[in-house]
Amino acid sequence: MVYRGTLRGERFTFATLPELLAKANEVKSGDQLAGLAARSERERVAAKLALADVRLAEIAATPVVEDAVTEAVSVPADPARFAEIASLTVGELRESVLEPDFHRRWSGGLRAAITPEIAAACAKLMSNLDLVVAAAPLRRTTRCRNTMGGAGVFGSRIQPNHPTDSVRGIMLSALDGLAFGCGDAMIGVNPATESVPVIGEVLRGVHELIARLGIPTQSCVLAHITTQLAALEAGAPVDLLFQSVAGTEAANASFGIDLGLLARGREAVLAHHAERAGEFAGEQVMYFETGQGSALSAEAHHGVDQLTLEARAQAVARLYDPFLVNSVVGFIGPEYLADSVQITRAGLEDHFVGKLMGVPTGVDVCYTNHADADQNSNDNLLVLLASAGCTFVMAIPAGDDVMLNYQTTSYHDVVSVRRTLGLRTAPEFEFWLAEMGISSDGRPGGNAHALPTSPAELASALEGSGALRELLPGGVA
């Protein structure tokens, strides 16, 4: 079907739905690189006007890619609920989403009616403020060792990466983050190697840290899913099973995965959890990462724009009832998101489309050093996302990852945002902080100015008996 939009007497024609979706998108260097972007602001606005008049039923009936991902995610999961909105146009859906009571209909089951292409189309008609306002009340609660996603909860993932996967170094970095009230989302390590024995050693080390201190949080080591499953088979404990996912079958194949492998991995970890009775509060066992540009970087985008494919990637994650999903928004590089304006927009879009589909979405507020961005732009996006009800962000020393070499959010940043906006950690984690004397006033990090600064002081503050010293080869001094 051909779509048309007229702006100030100039007529624009869009031959297909993917072309219309792409040209209605905000400026992204990746869409420009792929030759998909609008050629002018006039054409962009005309595409938005044309998209606003497209009915949701038509989008649901028009596959943008012919592949297994489309078959799995682009048909409404609840056809009966979709029938309630099928006759709406995208513009009418936008108005509905921005109504103050929309979250009641959404939590009542409407979220299962939203396909990724519909979520992306809606986001393309929204301002940055619209994306914040619409996402803020959409809360998705999930449980593994603790409860994430509740009202007023702003979680953080301690990311204690180490360039040689030193368990001692990982432990010390994790302790530092815990002392700032961070880590309720998880202690998640990006390993430098895919060695099964090394991954097993790191999994056991983080598990021992959690067990010794009784921390109500979950661990994850972000190796390839097959490496994690091999470590599990060898006896390593797995709380959350990780995998990066993309929005097309071909892009997922470039990651060495397919939908069946993800399903089998989830079943293996559920069976593993059943053998660890009493450790878990819920049955969400998957952790996924996404990001605009991943399919394009794999030359597997099929002429579809970055935002639409990001929504499809989050819909892939939704298939497996995840504990958390993380959009690593600025990590891929300036070829896909060139500067702070594009990174900010993409972060707000990714968060909104995920939440609209009922995904427990967090964002790695980040940039690489060759992008036109800086720490101030990172701070801006962090505050916007916290205001939008973002489920969690990263927390690493000084916001500078020593293994991945990119800039993200620090322990101090998380503390500052929680204080400023009156946000809290997961309830179980907040109780633990109070028990450990890290937070005496109910606000995580409220006494950050008095936190210990040396590894030895951190160990002493978190475990007066000194039991932690046994976990750290060579001691903590």
PDB file of all heavy atoms in Angstrom, residues 379-392:
ATOM      1  N   ASP A 379      24.392  12.743  32.124  1.00  0.00           N
ATOM      2  CA  ASP A 379      23.606  13.156  33.292  1.00  0.00           C
ATOM      3  C   ASP A 379      22.185  13.540  32.889  1.00  0.00           C
ATOM      4  O   ASP A 379      21.212  13.197  33.575  1.00  0.00           O
ATOM      5  CB  ASP A 379      24.275  14.351  33.981  1.00  0.00           C
ATOM      6  CG  ASP A 379      25.589  13.994  34.648  1.00  0.00           C
ATOM      7  OD1 ASP A 379      25.881  12.800  34.795  1.00  0.00           O
ATOM      8  OD2 ASP A 379      26.325  14.934  35.017  1.00  0.00           O
ATOM      9  N   ASN A 380      22.066  14.259  31.773  1.00  0.00           N
ATOM     10  CA  ASN A 380      20.742  14.695  31.324  1.00  0.00           C
ATOM     11  C   ASN A 380      19.836  13.509  31.040  1.00  0.00           C
ATOM     12  O   ASN A 380      18.676  13.464  31.480  1.00  0.00           O
ATOM     13  CB  ASN A 380      20.873  15.556  30.056  1.00  0.00           C
ATOM     14  CG  ASN A 380      21.575  16.868  30.303  1.00  0.00           C
ATOM     15  OD1 ASN A 380      21.683  17.331  31.442  1.00  0.00           O
ATOM     16  ND2 ASN A 380      22.065  17.491  29.240  1.00  0.00           N
ATOM     17  N   LEU A 381      20.351  12.534  30.298  1.00  0.00           N
ATOM     18  CA  LEU A 381      19.538  11.361  29.963  1.00  0.00           C
ATOM     19  C   LEU A 381      19.222  10.547  31.214  1.00  0.00           C
ATOM     20  O   LEU A 381      18.108  10.026  31.356  1.00  0.00           O
ATOM     21  CB  LEU A 381      20.266  10.490  28.933  1.00  0.00           C
ATOM     22  CG  LEU A 381      19.547   9.206  28.507  1.00  0.00           C
ATOM     23  CD1 LEU A 381      18.133   9.476  28.017  1.00  0.00           C
ATOM     24  CD2 LEU A 381      20.363   8.471  27.437  1.00  0.00           C
ATOM     25  N   LEU A 382      20.164  10.460  32.140  1.00  0.00           N
ATOM     26  CA  LEU A 382      19.924   9.715  33.376  1.00  0.00           C
ATOM     27  C   LEU A 382      18.739  10.290  34.139  1.00  0.00           C
ATOM     28  O   LEU A 382      17.852   9.557  34.602  1.00  0.00           O
ATOM     29  CB  LEU A 382      21.183   9.746  34.246  1.00  0.00           C
ATOM     30  CG  LEU A 382      21.075   9.100  35.632  1.00  0.00           C
ATOM     31  CD1 LEU A 382      20.765   7.608  35.523  1.00  0.00           C
ATOM     32  CD2 LEU A 382      22.366   9.321  36.415  1.00  0.00           C
ATOM     33  N   VAL A 383      18.686  11.609  34.281  1.00  0.00           N
ATOM     34  CA  VAL A 383      17.584  12.242  35.018  1.00  0.00           C
ATOM     35  C   VAL A 383      16.268  12.064  34.271  1.00  0.00           C
ATOM     36  O   VAL A 383      15.221  11.796  34.876  1.00  0.00           O
ATOM     37  CB  VAL A 383      17.892  13.726  35.266  1.00  0.00           C
ATOM     38  CG1 VAL A 383      16.687  14.431  35.894  1.00  0.00           C
ATOM     39  CG2 VAL A 383      19.111  13.871  36.182  1.00  0.00           C
ATOM     40  N   LEU A 384      16.296  12.193  32.943  1.00  0.00           N
ATOM     41  CA  LEU A 384      15.074  11.990  32.160  1.00  0.00           C
ATOM     42  C   LEU A 384      14.543  10.569  32.325  1.00  0.00           C
ATOM     43  O   LEU A 384      13.338  10.358  32.521  1.00  0.00           O
ATOM     44  CB  LEU A 384      15.354  12.280  30.683  1.00  0.00           C
ATOM     45  CG  LEU A 384      15.530  13.744  30.290  1.00  0.00           C
ATOM     46  CD1 LEU A 384      16.051  13.839  28.862  1.00  0.00           C
ATOM     47  CD2 LEU A 384      14.209  14.505  30.418  1.00  0.00           C
ATOM     48  N   LEU A 385      15.418   9.590  32.252  1.00  0.00           N
ATOM     49  CA  LEU A 385      14.979   8.197  32.370  1.00  0.00           C
ATOM     50  C   LEU A 385      14.484   7.870  33.769  1.00  0.00           C
ATOM     51  O   LEU A 385      13.499   7.135  33.938  1.00  0.00           O
ATOM     52  CB  LEU A 385      16.118   7.255  31.977  1.00  0.00           C
ATOM     53  CG  LEU A 385      16.385   7.161  30.478  1.00  0.00           C
ATOM     54  CD1 LEU A 385      17.720   6.495  30.210  1.00  0.00           C
ATOM     55  CD2 LEU A 385      15.256   6.414  29.773  1.00  0.00           C
ATOM     56  N   ALA A 386      15.158   8.397  34.792  1.00  0.00           N
ATOM     57  CA  ALA A 386      14.677   8.179  36.158  1.00  0.00           C
ATOM     58  C   ALA A 386      13.288   8.773  36.326  1.00  0.00           C
ATOM     59  O   ALA A 386      12.417   8.180  36.972  1.00  0.00           O
ATOM     60  CB  ALA A 386      15.652   8.782  37.155  1.00  0.00           C
ATOM     61  N   SER A 387      13.046   9.937  35.738  1.00  0.00           N
ATOM     62  CA  SER A 387      11.716  10.556  35.794  1.00  0.00           C
ATOM     63  C   SER A 387      10.694   9.738  35.025  1.00  0.00           C
ATOM     64  O   SER A 387       9.496   9.767  35.344  1.00  0.00           O
ATOM     65  CB  SER A 387      11.780  11.972  35.210  1.00  0.00           C
ATOM     66  OG  SER A 387      12.706  12.776  35.918  1.00  0.00           O
ATOM     67  N   ALA A 388      11.144   9.002  34.013  1.00  0.00           N
ATOM     68  CA  ALA A 388      10.251   8.183  33.183  1.00  0.00           C
ATOM     69  C   ALA A 388       9.976   6.810  33.787  1.00  0.00           C
ATOM     70  O   ALA A 388       9.307   5.992  33.156  1.00  0.00           O
ATOM     71  CB  ALA A 388      10.855   8.019  31.789  1.00  0.00           C
ATOM     72  N   GLY A 389      10.496   6.536  34.984  1.00  0.00           N
ATOM     73  CA  GLY A 389      10.240   5.246  35.615  1.00  0.00           C
ATOM     74  C   GLY A 389      11.125   4.130  35.121  1.00  0.00           C
ATOM     75  O   GLY A 389      10.744   2.950  35.212  1.00  0.00           O
ATOM     76  N   CYS A 390      12.305   4.462  34.634  1.00  0.00           N
ATOM     77  CA  CYS A 390      13.240   3.433  34.155  1.00  0.00           C
ATOM     78  C   CYS A 390      13.510   2.413  35.260  1.00  0.00           C
ATOM     79  O   CYS A 390      13.727   2.775  36.421  1.00  0.00           O
ATOM     80  CB  CYS A 390      14.540   4.113  33.718  1.00  0.00           C
ATOM     81  SG  CYS A 390      15.728   3.026  32.943  1.00  0.00           S
ATOM     82  N   THR A 391      13.518   1.145  34.922  1.00  0.00           N
ATOM     83  CA  THR A 391      13.624   0.090  35.924  1.00  0.00           C
ATOM     84  C   THR A 391      14.996   0.065  36.594  1.00  0.00           C
ATOM     85  O   THR A 391      15.093  -0.099  37.801  1.00  0.00           O
ATOM     86  CB  THR A 391      13.336  -1.275  35.288  1.00  0.00           C
ATOM     87  OG1 THR A 391      12.055  -1.221  34.623  1.00  0.00           O
ATOM     88  CG2 THR A 391      13.297  -2.375  36.335  1.00  0.00           C
ATOM     89  N   PHE A 392      16.059   0.256  35.811  1.00  0.00           N
ATOM     90  CA  PHE A 392      17.402   0.230  36.389  1.00  0.00           C
ATOM     91  C   PHE A 392      18.397   0.837  35.418  1.00  0.00           C
ATOM     92  O   PHE A 392      18.136   0.963  34.212  1.00  0.00           O
ATOM     93  CB  PHE A 392      17.829  -1.192  36.760  1.00  0.00           C
ATOM     94  CG  PHE A 392      18.228  -2.047  35.577  1.00  0.00           C
ATOM     95  CD1 PHE A 392      19.564  -2.336  35.322  1.00  0.00           C
ATOM     96  CD2 PHE A 392      17.268  -2.566  34.726  1.00  0.00           C
ATOM     97  CE1 PHE A 392      19.924  -3.111  34.230  1.00  0.00           C
ATOM     98  CE2 PHE A 392      17.611  -3.348  33.641  1.00  0.00           C
ATOM     99  CZ  PHE A 392      18.959  -3.624  33.394  1.00  0.00           C
TER     100      PHE A 392
END
